[in-house]
Amino acid sequence: MASGGTGRGEAERDERGGARTALAGLTTRGRSFLAAGIAAAVCAYVLGQPDLLRVGLLLAALPLVCAAVVYRTRYRVSGSRRLAPARVPAGSEARVHLRMDNVSRLPTGLLMLQDRVPYVLGPRPRFVLDRVEPGGRREVSYRVRSDLRGRYPLGPLQLRLNDPFGMCELTRSFSTYDTLTVVPRVEPLPPVPLSGDAKGYGDGRQRSLALAGEDDVIPRGYRYGDDLRRVHWRSTARYGELMVRREEQPRRARCTVLLDTRALAFRGAGPDSAFEWAVSAAASVLVHMLERGFSVRLLTDTGSSVPGEGADGFAGASQGSADAAGLMMDTLAVIDHSDGTGLSPAYDVLRGGDEGLLVAFLGELDEEQAAVAARMRRRSGGAVAFLLDGDGWGREPNAGPDPMNRTQERLRMLREAGWTALSVPRGAALGELWRRADGERSGVVTAGGGTSGRGAGS
């Protein structure tokens, strides 16, 4: 069975311990008949009643014969499962389609079909299938839904075989299973102009020197193998040597999404926790920037990045946006808290090169980690930080502001380093915060890396 498509398998029977397996499949009715038959036979022997002995033998033989027939039944039943879709956002439903084909020359009896699903997806589905003719098929479906992201196995599929008298019931299982991936919710972000940027923020494409593309007015010296049609004769006459026109080609701007996964930085658990909000927000920004033509990368506090194509780890033009988004969403579906205590591993990765735009989703920061985050701004063309107020997410709604004002102090440190930093209160909408971040970026980038113009409120 294959996720997202049609996979097949045949029910398997355990050939070891055949008699034991058959007897273990006796139902309550079958066991009662067997016990009554044995008791009648013993009484007939003691009392010397041959008629009672024949009745006892009949009662005892009936469940044994039914068990033998059911166990030796050689139905060849093929099953398939199809998920629609195989990757679903948290809180949305997926439909599972089951199809059973009788590939033998004999009709089947009454079949009970059961699929194994994790309890978080809902109750275990059970179906009763009527007699299936040779070459016939039956199709059933059920729905699954989870508010928790993750990867959930579906299967294996099980068939229960019954005899006409209800004396024996045996279960035969298929050997394969599928996997349903529940990814974080993705919120559409407003197409704001993202003004006030330095390098790498704004349009999804930049221009870079290369060997193909549009002509540049700045010439360079002739090199062996250059096309003579690119000779710039005016510059050749001026410099006294062959000069050719440079060329350029579009290059995708870069965006790194930093997700803080430290366990000590977040409080609470469940779909409405601060960490789940950060994961969903990171997924939304990744998809949004991919749609805008950016080369994107997902980076965590541990220094690991996704997708990791090439030396710089960015999903570039050679990788389709859909494939890159799928890979990152699969990673975010199973991402969990890390055991790390600091952001230094991520800083070591960021200081290795020009990261373009940096969007960070940070949990609680102490003074030391806030300083580390502030230094990340130096290696990015633009930097936007969403700081989740740990005290605010840990308190009940409408419980009032943080009396220690620690979040405001961390925001001040980030803004002084050149970040566009916003506090994320409990239940905040990412779309509104994204629009506010664009508005506050209009005056934050200065030559000294500080802030100017309109203040960046929290």
Side-chain angles (χ1 to χ4, degrees):
M1 302 180 188
S3 298
T6 300
R8 293 185 176 273
E10 291 190 3
E12 298 179 345
R13 182 182 65 190
D14 189 359
E15 298 292 347
R16 299 173 297 178
R20 183 181 303 175
T21 301
L23 292 177
L26 290 176
T27 62
T28 302
R29 179 185 300 178
R31 295 175 187 273
S32 300
F33 268 67
L34 181 60
I38 294 175
V42 172
C43 292
Y45 178 78
V46 173
L47 300 176
Q49 297 291 330
D51 293 337
L52 182 58
L53 177 61
R54 283 191 289 269
V55 173
L57 292 177
L58 178 62
L59 292 176
L62 181 59
L64 296 178
V65 172
C66 291
V69 171
V70 172
Y71 179 76
R72 298 303 300 176
T73 298
R74 295 186 177 275
Y75 297 147
R76 294 185 59 200
V77 181
S78 175
S80 65
R81 183 189 293 106
R82 180 171 57 87
L83 306 182
R87 184 189 292 118
V88 62
S92 300
E93 291 185 345
R95 182 168 289 275
V96 183
H97 300 269
L98 303 177
R99 171 176 159 179
M100 305 302 299
D101 295 90
N102 183 11
V103 296
S104 66
R105 299 180 180 179
L106 298 175
T108 69
L110 191 67
L111 300 178
M112 296 183 62
L113 184 64
Q114 176 178 280
D115 204 8
R116 291 185 178 179
V117 299
Y119 72 94
V120 296
L121 297 182
R124 180 171 296 182
R126 295 181 175 90
F127 305 93
V128 177
L129 304 181
D130 294 332
R131 177 180 177 273
V132 183
E133 66 279 3
R137 69 179 60 169
R138 298 289 186 271
E139 295 184 1
V140 294
S141 65
Y142 63 94
R143 294 178 295 179
V144 291
R145 179 181 182 274
S146 175
D147 292 328
L148 299 175
R149 56 187 176 80
R151 293 174 61 89
Y152 301 101
L154 300 179
L157 199 61
Q158 292 181 332
L159 281 178
R160 290 185 179 181
L161 307 179
N162 294 325
D163 67 281
F165 301 101
M167 298 289 180
C168 184
E169 179 181 278
L170 295 182
T171 300
R172 295 178 182 175
S173 298
F174 292 82
S175 59
T176 56
Y177 64 91
D178 294 329
T179 300
L180 175 68
T181 303
V182 180
V183 299
R185 297 185 183 92
V186 174
E187 179 180 346
L189 300 181
V192 294
L194 303 174
S195 59
D197 311 314
K199 53 188 176 181
Y201 199 32
D203 292 336
R205 294 186 180 273
Q206 298 173 333
R207 312 299 297 183
S208 61
L209 295 178
L211 297 179
E214 300 176 359
D215 292 341
D216 194 343
V217 297
I218 303 177
R220 62 168 175 81
Y222 175 81
R223 298 172 185 170
Y224 178 77
D226 286 338
D227 191 345
L228 292 178
R229 289 175 296 182
R230 291 171 48 202
V231 174
H232 195 266
W233 296 109
R234 182 178 301 176
S235 298
T236 298
R238 178 180 178 182
Y239 293 102
E241 59 177 321
L242 281 177
M243 304 292 292
V244 296
R245 294 185 295 269
R246 295 191 186 191
E247 293 180 343
E248 61 180 13
Q249 66 180 10
R251 177 174 65 88
R252 289 180 122 192
R254 293 179 172 181
C255 174
T256 297
V257 177
L258 172 62
L259 177 61
D260 186 2
T261 64
R262 296 172 299 141
L264 54 81
F266 297 92
R267 303 182 188 181
D272 297 327
S273 64
F275 181 68
E276 293 301 321
W277 190 97
V279 173
S280 177
S284 302
V285 173
L286 287 169
V287 172
H288 177 74
M289 302 310 290
L290 277 172
E291 291 175 348
R292 296 194 58 202
F294 278 67
S295 294
V296 300
R297 175 175 64 176
L298 171 63
L299 181 66
T300 67
D301 58 288
T302 62
S304 60
S305 61
V306 178
E309 180 186 278
D312 54 6
F314 284 86
S318 61
Q319 185 176 14
S321 297
D323 294 338
L327 181 58
M328 294 182 188
M329 295 299 284
D330 288 345
T331 301
L332 289 174
V334 296
I335 199 168
D336 201 355
H337 290 295
S338 69
D339 297 329
T341 59
L343 301 174
S344 297
Y347 172 72
D348 293 338
V349 174
L350 290 173
R351 69 179 182 179
D354 177 16
E355 304 302 322
L357 171 65
L358 175 60
V359 181
F361 295 93
L362 305 173
E364 292 187 61
L365 300 175
D366 56 23
E367 186 174 358
E368 178 183 358
Q369 298 310 316
V372 175
R375 292 197 298 270
M376 296 179 183
R377 171 64 181 84
R378 304 173 185 173
R379 301 305 303 175
S380 62
V384 181
F386 297 93
L387 185 61
L388 279 76
D389 183 357
D391 293 321
W393 284 82
R395 295 193 306 270
E396 293 296 326
N398 304 322
D402 176 16
M404 298 298 294
N405 208 24
R406 287 170 295 189
T407 301
Q408 297 301 321
E409 177 63 21
R410 306 298 179 249
L411 290 172
R412 183 190 61 79
M413 294 179 62
L414 294 177
R415 289 165 182 163
E416 289 180 351
W419 285 82
T420 300
L422 286 82
S423 175
V424 181
R426 185 172 183 173
L430 177 61
E432 181 61 28
L433 292 175
W434 188 255
R435 187 178 287 106
R436 286 179 54 193
D438 170 64
E440 295 179 4
R441 280 191 54 82
S442 58
V444 296
V445 180
T446 63
T451 60
S452 64
R454 182 173 44 178
S458 59

